[in-house]
């Protein structure tokens, strides 16, 4: 079988880009933490950095931990919200959060810095992500100048979230910098996982994964977005303890996606989508015998990906009522589905 096509960013080169990105992010967020106590510096790490997620070779998600919120508990009685971001009063309430979204009240924390009660981030007791992003964007802009990084880092405009472009020695990459409330002490009530009678992962592994808690990301207007980056990383790290080829299949799937099916700076399908497809397939096929023959296992993953992309429907692995492709561009999804269908007609092409 032919090797994967040349021209992709190899692991060694990608590691170099991640290293450069990590230095820039650490420099910027250290300065931001000096300017505003509510934001922590993203630590520098010689190994895996849990705050840096590679979505595509030139697209990164950077979670910036916030400080001063501890002792989280789920919200109690439901209440309606009638405010706007500008402080006006609405005649009808704001819509309730859906899927991966939730409100966040400062009173949900047993301990909180007084700064989280301030009007620059708080409306009627809610910590509002759009207000947090407004404060954070200004801090990022100031930090770029203070750190003398204007020639290397630039703000990307016309985005609701905070995005910057970073010039590395190899190429330009785009980073989404997202303030993150880490909840290491509990598992979200919205994540009703795992369902009963599932053999993968094992009950012991499930308890371990849930012990890592979850994270709330500030990336929309009124609602915080649930994230399970730590739990997902634990699942990935322990894929092949039985000696299977799951990780190899995932790596091949990712490389084919980046080189052939969905290349580009802002791909409609990211590594997180592929990872979710992998988790669903591992749950459906939990036995080692299903992961011993690489070609069969790999094609099983491609067929699952093709089905999800064709139907524009991919359930989040932990919050199963949420469709990860709900807001994706339909035309771009259809184009990827067509490429996947062509590959499945002649799957030997490009398969490692």
């Amino acid at each position: 079988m032919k090797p994967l096509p040349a021209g992709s960013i190899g692991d060694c080169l990608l590691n170099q880009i991640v290293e450069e990105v990590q230095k820039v992010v650490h420099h910027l967020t250290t300065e931001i933490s000096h300017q505003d106590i509510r934001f922590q510096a993203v630590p520098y790490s010689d190994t895996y950095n849990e705050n840096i997620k590679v979505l595509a070779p030139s697209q990164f998600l950077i979670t910036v931990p916030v400080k001063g919120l501890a002792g989280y508990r789920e919200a109690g009685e439901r209440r309606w919200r009638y405010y706007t971001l500008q402080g006006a009063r609405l005649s009808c309430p704001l819509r309730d959060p859906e899927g991966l979204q939730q409100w966040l009240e400062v009173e949900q924390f047993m301990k909180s810095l007084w700064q989280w009660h301030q009007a620059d981030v708080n409306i009627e007791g809610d910590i509002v992500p759009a207000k947090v992003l407004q404060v954070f964007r200004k801090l990022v802009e100031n930090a770029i100048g203070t750190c003398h990084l204007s020639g290397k880092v630039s703000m990307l405009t016309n985005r609701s979230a905070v995005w910057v472009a970073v010039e590395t020695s190899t190429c330009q990459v785009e980073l989404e910098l997202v303030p993150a409330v880490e909840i290491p002490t509990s598992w979200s009530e919205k994540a009703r996982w795992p369902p009963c009678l599932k053999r993968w992962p094992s009950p012991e592994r499930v308890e371990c994964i849930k012990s890592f808690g979850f994270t709330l990301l500030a990336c929309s207007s009124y609602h915080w977005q649930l994230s399970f980056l730590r739990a997902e990383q634990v699942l990935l790290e322990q894929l092949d303890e039985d000696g299977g080829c799951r990780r190899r299949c995932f790596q091949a799937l990712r490389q084919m996606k980046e080189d052939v099916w969905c290349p580009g700076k802002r791909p409609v399908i990211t590594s997180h989508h592929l990872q979710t497809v992998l988790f669903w397939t591992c749950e459906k096929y939990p036995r080692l015998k299903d992961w011993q023959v690489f070609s069969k296992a790999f094609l099983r993953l491609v067929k699952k990906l093709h089905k999800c992309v064709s139907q524009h429907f991919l359930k989040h692995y932990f919050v199963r009522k949420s469709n990860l492709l709900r807001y994706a561009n339909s035309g771009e999804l259809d184009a990827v589905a067509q490429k996947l269908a062509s590959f499945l007609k002649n799957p030997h092409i490009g398969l490692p």
Side-chain angles (χ1 to χ4, degrees), residues 55-334:
L55 298 179
S58 58
Q59 186 181 13
F60 292 64
L61 173 67
I62 313 296
T63 53
V64 181
V66 304
K67 190 164 66 171
L69 294 170
Y72 174 85
R73 54 202 166 192
E74 294 283 349
E77 188 176 337
R78 178 184 180 186
R79 67 181 178 91
W80 300 106
R81 273 80 170 175
Y82 292 89
Y83 57 75
T84 68
L85 297 176
Q86 294 72 36
R89 192 75 181 166
L90 297 170
S91 56
C92 296
L94 292 168
R95 67 172 177 83
D96 271 348
E98 303 172 350
L100 287 171
Q101 299 175 332
Q102 72 164 67
W103 303 107
L104 187 62
E105 302 172 30
V106 73
E107 296 302 325
Q108 286 180 245
F109 297 92
M110 296 176 68
K111 295 181 180 179
S112 58
L113 286 172
W114 63 268
Q115 287 91 339
W116 289 111
H117 298 256
Q118 295 289 97
D120 63 344
V121 296
N122 192 308
I123 303 178
E124 296 182 9
D126 287 335
I127 303 173
V128 181
K131 303 277 280 183
V132 174
L133 285 170
Q134 192 174 26
V135 171
F136 184 65
R137 179 179 288 105
K138 188 65 178 175
L139 290 167
V140 173
E141 290 174 353
N142 292 341
I144 290 172
T146 305
C147 297
H148 307 292
L149 290 171
S150 300
K152 190 179 183 70
V153 183
S154 57
M155 298 290 298
L156 295 175
T157 56
N158 301 322
R159 313 243 185 138
S160 57
V162 179
W163 284 81
V164 298
V166 177
E167 297 290 343
T168 71
S169 58
T170 305
C171 61
Q172 185 187 81
V173 297
E174 295 182 356
L175 319 180
E176 182 181 5
L177 301 170
V178 185
V181 181
E182 296 176 346
I183 316 289
T185 53
S186 63
W187 187 252
S188 171
E189 289 184 356
K190 282 200 167 190
R192 302 184 183 279
W193 175 85
C196 297
L197 305 176
K198 293 296 180 181
R199 295 177 57 187
W200 188 91
S202 67
E204 297 77 20
R205 185 61 38 76
V206 167
E207 289 307 308
C208 171
I209 289 165
K210 285 188 170 184
S211 71
F212 285 87
F214 65 105
T215 304
L216 294 170
L217 304 180
C219 48
S220 65
S221 296
Y222 295 97
H223 305 132
W224 292 76
Q225 181 174 309
L226 277 74
S227 171
F228 300 86
L229 291 173
R230 287 179 174 175
E232 290 164 354
Q233 184 59 30
V234 174
L235 270 179
L236 278 177
E237 288 174 350
Q238 301 171 345
L239 277 178
D240 291 324
E241 289 186 330
D242 59 2
C245 62
R246 300 169 186 84
R247 179 174 296 278
R248 185 182 168 205
C249 288
F250 175 65
Q251 290 169 340
L253 190 73
R254 186 180 63 191
Q255 190 166 349
M256 286 295 292
K257 192 279 296 184
E258 292 170 358
D259 293 346
V260 183
W261 303 327
C262 190
K265 290 187 70 173
R266 299 170 195 166
V268 67
I269 298 297
T270 68
S271 63
H272 186 257
H273 294 121
L274 301 185
Q275 176 182 288
T276 305
V277 167
L278 174 66
F279 292 159
W280 280 113
T281 310
C282 288
E283 183 177 292
K284 186 174 181 179
Y285 298 94
R287 296 174 296 184
L288 172 59
K289 74 172 191 175
D290 295 313
W291 299 94
Q292 288 183 312
V293 179
F294 170 80
S295 57
K296 290 183 179 179
F298 178 72
L299 288 177
R300 192 183 299 122
L301 273 182
V302 178
K303 288 175 183 176
K304 174 66 174 176
L305 177 62
H306 176 251
K307 179 181 179 181
C308 293
V309 174
S310 299
Q311 296 177 347
H312 302 184
F313 187 78
L314 173 59
K315 288 190 292 184
H316 190 281
Y317 186 62
F318 293 117
V319 183
R320 302 187 170 203
K321 291 183 178 180
S322 180
N323 176 16
L324 294 178
L325 299 177
R326 180 178 179 181
Y327 300 107
N329 183 286
S330 296
E332 293 179 14
L333 288 176
D334 291 340

Side-chain angles (χ1 to χ4, degrees), residues 11-46:
D11 286 344
C12 185
L13 192 53
L14 183 58
N15 289 340
Q16 180 185 329
I17 294 171
V18 172
E19 175 76 10
E20 293 182 43
V21 165
Q22 187 175 206
K23 289 179 179 177
V24 169
V25 168
H26 178 66
H27 197 181
L28 282 176
T29 55
T30 298
E31 175 60 29
I32 289 170
S33 69
H34 292 156
Q35 299 301 321
D36 193 321
I37 194 175
R38 291 173 291 193
F39 299 96
Q40 297 185 51
V42 172
Y44 182 87
S45 173
D46 291 328

Side-chain angles (χ1 to χ4, degrees), residues 334-348:
D334 291 340
V336 174
Q338 192 171 3
K339 290 181 181 180
L340 289 166
S342 297
F343 173 84
L344 288 170
K345 287 179 183 177
N346 188 6
H348 294 293

